[in-house]
Amino acid sequence: NLRCVISTTCNRMRSFRCRDLTQTSLGIAKTISQVRRGHQQCRANDPLQITGGLLLSDSRHFVIFDVIGRSAVSMLESFDARHLSNLVFSFGLVNRNPDIGDDTLFNVVGSAAAKIMQTFDPQDIANMLLAYVYVGAKNSSLFRKIRETILGTDLGIFEGQ
């Protein structure tokens, strides 16, 4: 069942690499986001309603995202721009910014992202900024680096979606 999948994932997460961790986090976050959108329109016996009951209980999905956050912080140096921005975006989708020691995930990841900002493409920057908006987090040093990166970039490479 779904609880078993989440439990097994949490237990094996320590062996994940940054790409695996990001894909797991993003997949779960997108599923939760989609279920949230359709959850209000379902009958009580609808599979979407049942899945929603399992996924939308804050305490249940917070556990897996807290484990993902702790695992990610331990390997931040291994993340490239794409995986780092997608990881943060996944936390934004579920509106979660867990505490990591005396700090928050978004502060810790923001510091790591600022160091490699020159490798971020427009999609990576958009994902990063949107995640910060979703959780209401601020990181002035990261935002300055993003501004510098954008100002030094040919804005023609940014495409509308």
Side-chain angles (χ1 to χ4, degrees):
N1 72 26
L2 190 55
R3 287 185 190 127
C4 183
V5 169
I6 290 172
S7 176
T8 301
T9 301
C10 285
N11 291 333
R12 294 187 179 165
M13 209 168 290
R14 288 180 271 292
S15 66
F16 285 15
R17 295 183 180 200
C18 60
R19 182 178 145 246
D20 304 324
L21 197 59
T22 299
Q23 289 176 333
T24 299
S25 186
L26 194 55
I28 294 170
K30 284 182 174 183
T31 301
I32 290 170
S33 179
Q34 289 299 314
V35 169
R36 275 184 180 154
R37 286 187 199 150
H39 192 254
Q40 298 86 7
Q41 305 164 1
C42 300
R43 296 179 320 276
N45 63 348
D46 189 304
L48 189 57
Q49 182 77 14
I50 295 165
T51 304
L54 292 170
L55 285 175
L56 298 182
S57 167
D58 286 344
S59 62
R60 288 195 181 118
H61 76 261
F62 279 178
V63 170
I64 194 163
F65 282 95
D66 291 351
V67 172
I68 291 169
R70 286 191 303 274
S71 296
V73 166
S74 71
M75 63 174 102
L76 277 180
E77 301 81 35
S78 303
F79 278 83
D80 63 13
R82 178 179 168 211
H83 294 123
L84 194 58
S85 69
N86 282 336
L87 179 79
V88 170
F89 182 70
S90 71
F91 279 80
L93 284 175
V94 296
N95 196 18
R96 184 76 179 140
N97 186 8
D99 290 331
I100 304 291
D102 292 336
D103 219 336
T104 65
L105 179 70
F106 276 63
N107 282 339
V108 174
V109 169
S111 296
K115 292 176 185 173
I116 62 168
M117 185 51 59
Q118 72 282 359
T119 66
F120 276 57
D121 68 18
Q123 185 64 55
D124 301 329
I125 292 170
N127 285 352
M128 187 70 70
L129 289 173
L130 195 52
Y132 276 79
V133 168
Y134 284 162
V135 300
K138 295 172 178 64
N139 188 314
S140 57
S141 68
L142 173 64
F143 296 162
R144 273 193 299 278
K145 279 291 201 182
I146 290 173
R147 184 190 73 213
E148 291 169 12
T149 301
I150 292 172
L151 290 174
T153 302
D154 171 17
L155 296 181
I157 66 170
F158 286 85
E159 296 176 12
Q161 290 190 6

